[in-house]
Amino acid sequence: MFQSFEDSATPQQGPARLEALRSEMTAAGVDAFLVPRADAHQGEYVSAHDERLSWLTGFTGSAGWCVALATRAGVFVDGRYRVQVRAQVADVFEPVDWPEVSLGDWIAEALPKGVVGFDPWLLSLDQQRALAAKLGDHELRSCDNLIDSIWSDQPAPPMGEAFAQPVELAGEPHEAKIKRLAADLKADAAIITLPDSIAWLLNIRGRDIARNPVPHGFAILHKKGRVSLFIAQDKVTSLGDHFGDLVDLNPVDAFLPAVQNLTGRVQIDPATCPVIVADLLSDTIEAQDPCLLPKARKNDAELSGSRAAHLRDAAAMVRFLSWLETQTGGEFTEIDVVQRLEAERRATNALRDISFETISGAGPNGAIVHYRVTNTSNRTVENNQLLLVDSGGQYVDGTTDITRTVVVGTPTQEERRAFTLVLKGMIAISRLRFPTGLAGRDMDVLARTALWQDGLDYGHGTGHGVGAYLSVHEGPQRLASTGTVPFEAGMILSNEPGFYKEGAFGIRIENLIAVQDAPALPGQTVPHMLRFETLTWVPIDTRLVNPTLLTEDERDWLNSYHAEVEVRVSPLVEGAAKDWLSRACRAI
Amino acid sequence: MFQSFEDSATPQQGPARLEALRSEMTAAGVDAFLVPRADAHQGEYVSAHDERLSWLTGFTGSAGWCVALATRAGVFVDGRYRVQVRAQVADVFEPVDWPEVSLGDWIAEALPKGVVGFDPWLLSLDQQRALAAKLGDHELRSCDNLIDSIWSDQPAPPMGEAFAQPVELAGEPHEAKIKRLAADLKADAAIITLPDSIAWLLNIRGRDIARNPVPHGFAILHKKGRVSLFIAQDKVTSLGDHFGDLVDLNPVDAFLPAVQNLTGRVQIDPATCPVIVADLLSDTIEAQDPCLLPKARKNDAELSGSRAAHLRDAAAMVRFLSWLETQTGGEFTEIDVVQRLEAERRATNALRDISFETISGAGPNGAIVHYRVTNTSNRTVENNQLLLVDSGGQYVDGTTDITRTVVVGTPTQEERRAFTLVLKGMIAISRLRFPTGLAGRDMDVLARTALWQDGLDYGHGTGHGVGAYLSVHEGPQRLASTGTVPFEAGMILSNEPGFYKEGAFGIRIENLIAVQDAPALPGQTVPHMLRFETLTWVPIDTRLVNPTLLTEDERDWLNSYHAEVEVRVSPLVEGAAKDWLSRACRAI
């Protein structure tokens, strides 16, 4: 079982650890110390070694900061975690609404002047600048990580073995990627610190953190068409001669000296480059990590792989949903749901990991957008309740992410109406044809207008980028009001509008979609258009659909979708699952 | 008749005038001279005195530049005018695709170094900065206007009499506006150079330029709650004691000395502040003209006035459209259409001006988005042709802007389909409810998706702001991908999607709409929503609608709209017009 249901928060340890940290701060001569959730690679998941924020405070969310002062300590969490943080941290920590309140503003108010210490591996250049802009009267000082000094049983950094991603699945030899990116480089070298960028560029995967199949390391892409990789030797021994002539292998310790010895102009991404790296460079160009866009534009092999992974995953989902239909309200729990679903995915014999912790929310728990079921929160799924299940798998050929909301028993009219409005938004994105040049923010509205007509909305973006056997949340494109990167053929996105009635129910419907060129129509006047290919083929619960609220086009889309689901998935399932699938795919 | 049909371009004069300008340039010691279309007030319409660009080059478009060098002369025009400019200017002028090619880039390429002269009244601070950023090796030099030096019969600056806008229509005494804006001012004074800002702030209107009822002048808003107005004394004598105690009157010549004598911090809007003004100030805050947003948020009196003006205008439009139905294809022209429409508006006895030159485009002329019919271009309206008529009136209580596309005879299936897709977009905006905080760029897409599904689109924004007996094009809000100003209750916008098939036909359907608070619905979870009130009540040609392409909601909207048109407008018309209205408003 990949997923665990433990309550990992340990608020009772917080006060003593905070006092120990304050002693270290005094010894180090700093008046404030920053403890980010992030590691040096700025990813969403971190290794046990890097769980400093949760070790100190008890807060286990996927983003946040603690700012420790001599007499106060703020824990900065965003809208997803405002309830959770209060349950997880002791009274000595003050929850702060972030990013509405910035770290800099809070510090400036709480500490009119003084020395603010931070670990320069864990702060990006942009983050340092944002702080400096607010803290004119303070000294921002790099120092040792004071948590590491007091965390006596801190786990060692991860040492997962890396392995090659077959070129048939990657679709392009890593030598070709290196040459292509090097040729486009405007600088003499580029620093790459994002693990999924390195994994993509070198066609490798790793086991250093949960959910994301990446190795931890650093890389320098040289304009002359070579890559220097800095990674623990033990992680790559089994890779043999995968790397070939264009990659030189170096221990991690050699990274900073190598950065220091670079000549010419060096490209860094200020959004993710650690301060300790940026501080070594004098002649820099700031630009986005050069792997981000090429990685986002999936090639044919990656798209084929993703289609295969999605079909495999769809069969597991169908088996799971047909099992779910046999369950009786009041007699199974959210954890039962997670376990059964993971078991179905494991039964494919192809599951490398789940792609994130499954969200299984019954009734009111479905309305908690980033709910993770634990032994404490676990709720029995009652009759006449909605169940929201958001989950995904990591397969060697692709990463999946799917949400289905189903009713156990009979839905209310309110639930059916809300579900249908969410579905209308999801269909509007699925059906869209659009000119090139448009970004997520230009079309996010299409997923919301039906809800808006009823005065409803949802408090998250409509979709995020997804990797190819890489991170389930991948940039730079987003289908959201904050998404400014134009969509290009090959980009994979989620399409997941929702509606959440606090204390009552939650609805989300999510397919993955891939941007593709739209063949020109007769009479077309727009020179070049794009559309979305659907990757996810799993029935949507039609018991929750009110057909009178759908337009003819929307109903046609839904019926065609289900017809295609049956054609594609029926050969992959048997028995009760096959029967259930046939019923679930009936036209409405 | 307000509108004229003359071909005002005089390309044959251009070469001699350009040579005269070059002599002046030599005498003034400049290697390049900039001739913008704009005047010192950066408006869309300029007085005859300021028509320097068309006098020099023959180009009569509403935006553009000429850059004269010793051996070359570029005429910079945007996408609307690329065909027109070739017909209007002599060979000595090179048309340049602007803004794709910036003035700075073109100059840098054509003149590697040298002195670039410009009239500092006519260049805004932003424009100067954009040039300076591209012209590092050049000297940008303020100088006399070299066109004025050679234009022997240049008309005098306009001396139209200003007059008061009744407070019952303005909705707020100008003293209250002055106090309100002064209280919000972050500086000790603000420079105001936009004529419609001054007109709005002081509740006056003017006669200095066609189409826009504004006087030319300058103003300084003082933090202490006073306004210094700089305007020719003759323009304001008839205003008597309208201005009262908070406004001091000064001759225009006193403006620059007064700016120079300002103490403290002065607010300027770099988008519109002339360089000559900005150069006099050392301690400035740059911010948007403080009148723009308050002027855009129409108050109840302005909205009531606009509703009244729109009903009056609708009656004129209905009389015009009923006349149009009696015309036989092949026996009337585009100019006949313009004349009849203006005559109907004049017959209201309330028309102060048309709000812009009526666009009357038959068949292929309808596909020219900014077409203005002249005696030369005038086309007979043939049977089985579409006719696009975009027009508006200036009334004391409001400014109107409406486009209707009608068929003379029988439309093709292609025309009906395209018309219906355009209508779907127009209805999508009309029906929308949306949360506060959204700007035009967040919803522009809704007017296009139906067209996109057929591979069609239109090359202009969906809508612009409209004034209250002021400019028909008014900022800062726009319903377009470039519109970043959040919509607020009271803002008036146009809603005018279209489709243009080059060489064949043009379609545009335009209503004005006003943003208003949307009363909360039962169960609404979004805290505060907005919607659009329709202001324009004129039948849409249902002979061009293919009902099978409409959803039920769309058809309901159209039928409700027509039912309301008949209820509102029928009492205002008689005889044949009344009968026509009744037929035109039939449900489909």
Side-chain angles (χ1 to χ4, degrees):
Chain A
M1 188 79 194
F2 291 115
Q3 188 152 340
S4 92
F5 306 100
E6 279 170 41
D7 294 289
S8 50
T10 49
Q12 66 283 4
Q13 308 265 28
R17 290 171 179 174
L18 180 58
E19 280 317 306
L21 173 60
R22 283 172 173 155
S23 300
E24 287 295 315
M25 286 164 57
T26 306
V30 302
D31 304 297
F33 187 71
L34 309 182
V35 184
R37 200 293 179 141
D39 62 21
H41 308 281
Q42 299 291 334
E44 188 174 349
Y45 286 87
V46 300
S47 74
H49 172 77
D50 289 304
E51 288 280 13
R52 297 177 185 91
L53 182 63
S54 88
W55 180 83
L56 175 66
T57 67
F59 170 66
T60 59
S62 68
W65 296 75
C66 177
V67 179
L69 307 177
T71 56
R72 296 173 66 181
V75 180
F76 294 72
V77 304
D78 64 41
R80 295 172 290 179
Y81 296 118
R82 302 236 163 109
V83 175
Q84 177 178 326
V85 71
R86 289 174 195 282
Q88 291 192 318
V89 306
D91 287 349
V92 293
F93 296 100
E94 308 167 29
V96 182
D97 287 357
W98 170 74
E100 292 80 350
V101 178
S102 72
L103 271 67
D105 282 333
W106 189 85
I107 295 171
E109 199 253 300
L111 179 76
K113 54 188 241 176
V115 178
V116 178
F118 64 91
D119 176 347
W121 279 107
L122 305 188
L123 210 68
S124 74
L125 191 54
D126 275 352
Q127 289 166 344
Q128 183 195 38
R129 285 173 179 166
L131 278 169
K134 300 279 191 181
L135 298 176
D137 296 331
H138 300 68
E139 183 195 340
L140 277 176
R141 188 189 294 170
S142 292
C143 61
D144 286 340
N145 195 306
L146 304 184
I147 297 291
D148 295 4
S149 310
I150 58 172
W151 189 355
S152 54
D153 56 349
Q154 182 178 25
M159 284 297 294
E161 218 168 6
F163 49 97
Q165 177 72 349
V167 70
E168 305 77 52
L169 294 171
E172 184 181 12
H174 63 278
E175 292 89 348
K177 293 180 180 175
I178 292 170
K179 285 180 186 156
R180 178 157 71 94
L181 267 61
D184 286 347
L185 210 59
K186 300 278 184 288
D188 298 295
I191 305 291
I192 306 178
T193 63
L194 296 180
D196 59 344
S197 288
I198 295 170
W200 172 83
L201 179 62
L202 300 180
N203 288 345
I204 58 174
R205 297 295 185 268
R207 299 184 175 92
D208 279 340
I209 48 176
R211 312 306 170 240
N212 291 351
V214 293
H216 273 178
F218 300 97
I220 301 172
L221 170 65
H222 302 277
K223 177 70 186 168
K224 62 190 177 207
R226 295 186 53 80
V227 167
S228 300
L229 176 63
F230 302 85
I231 193 165
Q233 187 60 41
D234 285 354
K235 293 188 192 172
V236 291
T237 40
S238 66
L239 269 164
D241 53 6
H242 166 80
F243 289 118
D245 291 339
L246 301 187
V247 182
D248 53 88
L249 290 175
N250 310 272
V252 176
D253 288 351
F255 178 51
L256 291 185
V259 170
Q260 194 150 26
N261 287 333
L262 286 172
T263 54
R265 186 161 289 188
V266 180
Q267 180 174 318
I268 56 173
D269 184 342
T272 52
C273 182
V275 167
I276 198 168
V277 175
D279 280 352
L280 295 175
L281 297 165
S282 52
D283 186 8
T284 58
I285 294 179
E286 298 189 5
Q288 187 174 267
D289 176 329
C291 299
L292 285 194
L293 263 177
K295 170 162 61 66
R297 298 178 194 121
K298 270 67 179 173
N299 58 37
D300 289 345
E302 290 169 319
L303 290 168
S304 295
S306 183
R307 288 182 199 111
H310 275 86
L311 270 189
R312 186 182 313 122
D313 200 63
M317 278 293 297
V318 164
R319 291 186 199 102
F320 158 72
L321 290 168
S322 75
W323 164 84
L324 190 60
E325 207 192 34
T326 66
Q327 301 303 297
T328 308
E331 295 177 12
F332 69 111
T333 69
E334 295 169 340
I335 287 181
D336 295 334
V337 166
V338 175
Q339 288 174 329
R340 179 72 187 208
L341 177 51
E342 191 173 315
E344 294 292 2
R345 284 205 168 95
R346 284 178 172 275
T348 64
N349 289 319
L351 188 72
R352 299 280 182 99
D353 197 347
I354 52 176
S355 58
F356 57 97
E357 318 305 315
T358 296
I359 296 171
S360 167
N365 280 350
I368 304 169
V369 176
H370 287 263
Y371 177 62
R372 184 180 81 89
V373 55
T374 66
N375 291 316
T376 314
S377 73
N378 190 25
R379 181 183 274 275
T380 299
V381 184
E382 303 292 348
N383 197 32
N384 301 334
Q385 229 175 20
L386 298 191
L387 174 68
L388 184 157
V389 184
D390 186 353
S391 68
Q394 290 285 11
Y395 303 94
V396 68
D397 45 4
T399 302
T400 71
D401 183 1
I402 173 173
T403 309
R404 288 294 181 266
T405 303
V406 298
V407 63
V408 176
T410 308
T412 64
Q413 281 308 311
E414 180 189 13
E415 288 164 343
R416 282 181 83 207
R417 185 173 179 94
F419 186 93
T420 309
L421 297 178
V422 171
L423 178 62
K424 286 167 82 81
M426 189 263 198
I427 293 174
I429 298 292
S430 302
R431 291 186 64 234
L432 186 66
R433 283 174 63 93
F434 56 98
T436 52
L438 269 74
R441 76 166 179 211
D442 300 312
M443 49 188 92
D444 178 73
V445 63
L446 297 172
R448 301 180 193 269
T449 48
L451 284 161
W452 287 350
Q453 293 302 111
D454 267 27
L456 313 180
D457 200 357
Y458 49 97
H460 55 77
T462 302
H464 53 82
V466 178
Y469 187 34
L470 278 175
S471 304
V472 75
H473 291 161
E474 178 184 278
Q477 79 278 11
R478 299 196 62 200
L479 179 39
S481 61
T482 52
T484 58
V485 175
F487 288 173
E488 295 183 57
M491 288 179 170
I492 298 181
L493 287 145
S494 70
N495 171 16
E496 49 179 316
F499 173 68
Y500 311 94
K501 184 169 177 178
E502 205 182 322
F505 61 85
I507 292 164
R508 187 161 61 250
I509 312 173
E510 176 187 25
N511 277 356
L512 296 196
I513 53 183
V515 182
Q516 63 175 199
D517 291 319
L521 297 167
Q524 176 165 323
T525 59
V526 179
H528 184 186
M529 301 193 80
L530 298 169
R531 65 180 181 187
F532 296 117
E533 170 191 359
T534 294
L535 297 173
T536 306
W537 298 105
V538 175
I540 292 163
D541 191 347
T542 51
R543 296 169 300 173
L544 282 164
V545 178
N546 179 346
T548 66
L549 298 177
L550 296 180
T551 67
E552 213 176 298
D553 285 338
E554 289 164 346
R555 196 194 289 219
D556 286 349
W557 183 91
L558 185 64
N559 288 335
S560 306
Y561 177 72
H562 277 139
E564 199 158 346
V565 167
E566 189 169 5
V567 167
R568 289 171 185 256
V569 183
S570 188
L572 309 179
V573 294
E574 293 177 333
K578 203 181 196 83
D579 296 343
W580 175 86
L581 179 64
S582 176
R583 287 197 307 279
C585 289
R586 255 185 229 141
I588 61 165
Chain B
M1 189 78 194
F2 290 115
Q3 188 153 339
S4 91
F5 305 100
E6 279 169 41
D7 294 290
S8 50
T10 49
Q12 65 284 4
Q13 309 265 27
R17 290 171 179 174
L18 181 59
E19 280 317 306
L21 173 60
R22 284 175 172 152
S23 299
E24 287 296 314
M25 286 163 57
T26 305
V30 302
D31 305 296
F33 186 71
L34 309 182
V35 184
R37 200 278 179 156
D39 62 20
H41 308 282
Q42 299 292 334
E44 188 174 349
Y45 286 87
V46 301
S47 73
H49 173 76
D50 288 305
E51 288 280 14
R52 297 177 185 91
L53 182 64
S54 90
W55 181 82
L56 174 66
T57 66
F59 170 67
T60 59
S62 68
W65 296 76
C66 177
V67 179
L69 307 177
T71 56
R72 296 174 64 182
V75 180
F76 294 71
V77 305
D78 63 42
R80 294 173 290 178
Y81 297 118
R82 301 235 163 111
V83 175
Q84 178 178 326
V85 72
R86 288 176 195 280
Q88 291 192 317
V89 305
D91 287 348
V92 293
F93 296 101
E94 308 167 29
V96 182
D97 286 358
W98 171 73
E100 292 80 351
V101 178
S102 72
L103 272 66
D105 282 332
W106 189 85
I107 294 171
E109 199 253 302
L111 179 76
K113 53 188 242 174
V115 179
V116 178
F118 64 92
D119 177 347
W121 279 106
L122 305 189
L123 209 68
S124 75
L125 191 53
D126 274 352
Q127 288 167 344
Q128 184 193 38
R129 286 173 178 165
L131 278 170
K134 301 279 191 180
L135 297 177
D137 296 331
H138 299 68
E139 183 194 343
L140 276 176
R141 187 189 295 172
S142 293
C143 62
D144 286 342
N145 195 306
L146 304 184
I147 297 291
D148 295 4
S149 311
I150 58 172
W151 189 355
S152 53
D153 56 349
Q154 182 179 26
M159 284 297 294
E161 219 168 6
F163 49 96
Q165 177 73 346
V167 69
E168 305 78 51
L169 293 171
E172 184 180 12
H174 63 277
E175 294 89 347
K177 293 181 180 176
I178 292 170
K179 286 179 185 157
R180 178 157 70 95
L181 266 61
D184 286 347
L185 211 59
K186 300 278 184 289
D188 298 295
I191 304 291
I192 305 178
T193 63
L194 295 181
D196 59 343
S197 288
I198 295 170
W200 172 83
L201 179 62
L202 300 180
N203 287 346
I204 59 174
R205 297 295 185 267
R207 298 184 176 92
D208 279 339
I209 48 177
R211 313 306 169 239
N212 292 350
V214 293
H216 273 178
F218 300 98
I220 300 172
L221 170 66
H222 301 278
K223 177 70 185 167
K224 61 190 178 208
R226 295 185 53 80
V227 166
S228 299
L229 177 62
F230 301 85
I231 193 166
Q233 186 62 39
D234 287 353
K235 293 188 193 173
V236 291
T237 42
S238 68
L239 268 165
D241 52 7
H242 165 80
F243 289 119
D245 292 339
L246 300 187
V247 182
D248 53 87
L249 290 175
N250 310 270
V252 176
D253 288 351
F255 177 52
L256 290 185
V259 170
Q260 193 150 28
N261 287 333
L262 285 172
T263 54
R265 186 162 287 189
V266 180
Q267 179 175 317
I268 56 173
D269 185 341
T272 51
C273 182
V275 167
I276 199 168
V277 175
D279 280 351
L280 295 175
L281 296 165
S282 52
D283 187 7
T284 57
I285 295 179
E286 298 190 5
Q288 187 173 268
D289 176 328
C291 300
L292 285 194
L293 263 177
K295 170 162 61 67
R297 298 178 195 119
K298 270 67 178 173
N299 59 37
D300 288 345
E302 289 169 319
L303 289 169
S304 296
S306 183
R307 288 183 199 110
H310 274 86
L311 270 189
R312 187 183 312 121
D313 200 64
M317 278 293 296
V318 164
R319 290 186 199 102
F320 158 72
L321 289 169
S322 75
W323 164 83
L324 190 60
E325 208 193 35
T326 67
Q327 300 304 298
T328 307
E331 295 177 11
F332 68 110
T333 69
E334 294 168 341
I335 287 181
D336 295 334
V337 166
V338 175
Q339 287 174 329
R340 179 70 186 209
L341 177 51
E342 190 173 316
E344 294 292 1
R345 283 205 168 96
R346 284 178 173 274
T348 64
N349 289 320
L351 188 72
R352 298 283 181 98
D353 197 347
I354 53 176
S355 58
F356 57 97
E357 317 305 314
T358 295
I359 295 170
S360 167
N365 280 350
I368 304 169
V369 176
H370 288 262
Y371 178 62
R372 185 180 81 90
V373 54
T374 67
N375 292 317
T376 314
S377 73
N378 189 25
R379 182 183 274 275
T380 299
V381 184
E382 304 293 348
N383 197 32
N384 301 334
Q385 230 175 18
L386 298 192
L387 174 67
L388 184 158
V389 184
D390 187 354
S391 68
Q394 289 284 12
Y395 303 94
V396 68
D397 44 6
T399 303
T400 71
D401 183 2
I402 173 173
T403 309
R404 287 295 181 265
T405 304
V406 298
V407 62
V408 176
T410 308
T412 65
Q413 281 308 310
E414 181 190 15
E415 288 164 343
R416 283 182 83 207
R417 184 172 179 95
F419 186 93
T420 310
L421 297 178
V422 171
L423 178 62
K424 286 168 81 81
M426 189 264 197
I427 293 174
I429 298 293
S430 303
R431 291 185 65 232
L432 186 67
R433 285 173 62 94
F434 57 98
T436 52
L438 269 73
R441 75 167 179 210
D442 300 312
M443 49 188 92
D444 178 73
V445 63
L446 297 172
R448 301 181 192 269
T449 48
L451 283 162
W452 287 350
Q453 292 303 112
D454 267 26
L456 312 180
D457 200 357
Y458 49 97
H460 55 76
T462 302
H464 52 81
V466 178
Y469 187 33
L470 278 174
S471 304
V472 75
H473 291 162
E474 178 182 278
Q477 80 278 13
R478 298 197 63 199
L479 179 40
S481 62
T482 52
T484 57
V485 176
F487 288 173
E488 296 183 58
M491 287 179 170
I492 297 180
L493 286 145
S494 71
N495 171 16
E496 48 179 314
F499 172 68
Y500 311 94
K501 184 169 177 177
E502 204 182 323
F505 61 86
I507 293 165
R508 188 161 61 249
I509 313 173
E510 176 187 26
N511 277 356
L512 296 196
I513 53 182
V515 182
Q516 65 175 197
D517 291 318
L521 298 167
Q524 177 165 322
T525 60
V526 178
H528 183 187
M529 301 192 81
L530 299 168
R531 66 180 179 187
F532 296 117
E533 170 191 0
T534 294
L535 297 173
T536 305
W537 298 104
V538 175
I540 292 163
D541 191 346
T542 50
R543 296 170 300 174
L544 283 164
V545 177
N546 179 347
T548 66
L549 298 177
L550 297 180
T551 67
E552 213 176 298
D553 285 339
E554 289 164 347
R555 196 194 289 219
D556 287 350
W557 183 91
L558 185 64
N559 288 335
S560 305
Y561 177 73
H562 277 139
E564 199 159 345
V565 167
E566 188 168 8
V567 167
R568 289 172 185 255
V569 182
S570 187
L572 310 178
V573 294
E574 294 177 334
K578 203 181 196 80
D579 295 342
W580 176 85
L581 179 65
S582 176
R583 287 197 306 279
C585 289
R586 257 185 227 141
I588 61 163

